[in-house]
């Protein structure tokens, strides 16, 4: 083999391997080009629901950060309304209202393909348990997101409740972008509480949620 042929062969090998590598990267980045806004509910002085020393705000943040990591690994651009234990209020007198206005403002300004607000539920009757997605009608895609994510997450997650229309959440009514509010479980229920405070279940839940989001976009596009 002469020198010219060896160089050509080497070049060919380099081109083939780089094409297959690029293909693999593109193939794994199933959420490339998607912007997702994660909203960990509560924070700072506002603990959300509590059970002894377990605060809703902390679990919301842990789950949101795990979700951020998984979605980013799939190529999505991910934002969080908060990354630490704080609220987003600008007013002391109307702390809760101001906090929700700030979250809605951030999400509207960014115009994500989807927002997900993460919360925990609580009822005095401790028998109620399971994950449930709530939606309003401020964006026509909201109901579809709620139904699809419920359908897909159900395939792999225990105890998923039916999605529910709800217009009472203040922040919902100020957000024009598509999205939902997810109550990942009941802090009042011993079974849910045990799962949500253990990393093994947290990881399974977030992996199932990521799968659901991926499947929703795949079907939509
Ligand atoms: Zn909450």
């Amino acid at each position: 083999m002469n020198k010219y042929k060896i160089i050509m062969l080497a070049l060919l090998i380099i081109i083939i391997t780089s094409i297959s590598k690029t293909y693999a990267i593109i193939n794994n980045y199933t959420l490339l080009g998607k912007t997702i806004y994660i909203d960990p509910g509560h924070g700072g002085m506002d603990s959300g629901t509590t059970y002894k020393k377990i605060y809703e705000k902390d679990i919301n943040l842990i789950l949101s950060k795990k979700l951020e990591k998984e979605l980013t690994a799939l190529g999505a651009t991910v934002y969080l309304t908060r990354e630490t234990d704080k609220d987003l209020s600008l007013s002391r007198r109307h702390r809760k209202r101001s906090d929700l206005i700030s979250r809605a403002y951030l999400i509207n300004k960014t115009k994500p393909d989807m927002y997900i607000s993460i919360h925990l539920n609580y009822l005095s009757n401790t028998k109620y348990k399971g994950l449930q997605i709530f939606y309003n009608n401020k964006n026509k895609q909201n109901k579809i997101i709620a139904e699809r994510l419920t359908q897909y997450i159900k395939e792999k997650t225990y105890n998923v409740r039916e999605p529910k229309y709800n217009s009472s959440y203040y922040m919902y009514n100020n957000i024009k972008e598509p999205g939902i509010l997810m109550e990942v479980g009941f802090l009042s229920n011993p079974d849910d509480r045990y799962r949500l405070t253990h990393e093994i279940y947290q990881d399974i839940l977030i992996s199932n949620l990521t799968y659901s989001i991926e499947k929703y976009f795949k079907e939509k596009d």
Side-chain angles (χ1 to χ4, degrees):
M1 217 186 279
N2 64 31
K3 215 175 172 186
Y4 175 75
K5 274 186 181 167
I6 291 168
I7 292 170
M8 285 309 285
L9 192 66
L11 272 176
L12 198 65
I13 290 166
I14 291 167
I15 289 166
I16 288 169
T17 45
S18 68
I19 286 172
S20 59
K21 267 184 194 164
T22 311
Y23 183 73
I25 290 166
I26 291 170
N27 235 14
N28 288 333
Y29 285 173
T30 48
L31 292 175
L32 201 65
K34 300 291 178 214
T35 301
I36 298 165
Y37 222 119
I38 307 169
D39 173 41
H42 314 279
M45 281 175 72
D46 175 12
S47 301
T49 78
T50 57
Y51 180 86
K52 293 182 179 168
K53 288 240 164 86
I54 306 169
Y55 300 136
E56 179 194 344
K57 61 174 184 178
D58 296 333
I59 297 176
N60 292 343
L61 188 59
I62 290 168
L63 294 174
S64 296
K65 284 189 172 173
K66 285 181 183 290
L67 183 61
E68 177 191 27
K69 207 174 158 194
E70 293 233 3
L71 296 174
T72 305
L74 294 174
T77 304
V78 184
Y79 295 94
L80 261 73
T81 50
R82 66 178 178 98
E83 306 219 11
T84 56
D85 181 19
K86 58 163 192 183
D87 70 1
L88 282 82
S89 61
L90 303 169
S91 155
R92 275 195 196 166
R93 278 185 63 201
H94 307 286
R95 188 173 275 275
K96 186 68 194 165
R97 191 176 138 84
S98 173
D99 171 61
L100 294 175
I101 289 172
S102 297
R103 291 172 198 252
Y105 171 78
L106 286 173
I107 294 168
N108 281 328
K109 198 177 75 169
T110 308
K111 300 192 192 314
D113 296 286
M114 184 194 286
Y115 76 85
I116 301 173
S117 197
I118 293 183
H119 285 260
L120 297 189
N121 221 331
Y122 197 100
L123 281 175
S124 51
N125 187 335
T126 59
K127 77 171 188 187
Y128 290 102
K129 60 178 179 177
L131 179 154
Q132 190 165 28
I133 296 175
F134 293 88
Y135 64 94
N136 69 8
N137 59 7
K138 297 299 162 190
N139 186 300
K140 63 176 173 30
Q141 201 63 25
N142 293 356
K143 187 174 191 249
I144 301 166
I145 295 174
E147 286 172 350
R148 295 286 183 277
L149 290 194
T150 299
Q151 182 192 338
Y152 302 144
I153 205 163
K154 238 183 186 172
E155 291 175 18
K156 299 181 169 197
T157 315
Y158 95 109
N159 217 344
V160 176
R161 303 165 75 88
E162 286 308 302
K164 200 172 175 184
Y165 173 80
N166 192 325
S167 59
S168 70
Y169 290 94
Y170 179 74
M171 64 171 293
Y172 260 65
N173 300 322
N174 283 281
I175 298 176
K176 302 187 294 282
E177 306 310 317
I180 47 98
L181 185 147
M182 180 178 279
E183 300 274 6
V184 293
F186 286 80
L187 200 52
S188 41
N189 176 268
D191 197 15
D192 275 7
R193 194 165 58 238
Y194 180 83
R195 289 169 192 261
L196 289 164
T197 48
H198 285 79
E199 195 164 16
I200 295 173
Y201 179 73
Q202 291 172 352
D203 288 343
I204 292 170
L205 175 68
I206 293 309
S207 146
N208 294 352
L209 179 55
T210 305
Y211 159 82
S212 310
I213 293 167
E214 210 183 353
K215 207 164 166 182
Y216 162 79
F217 280 119
K218 201 187 268 178
E219 196 188 61
K220 184 173 173 281
D221 295 342

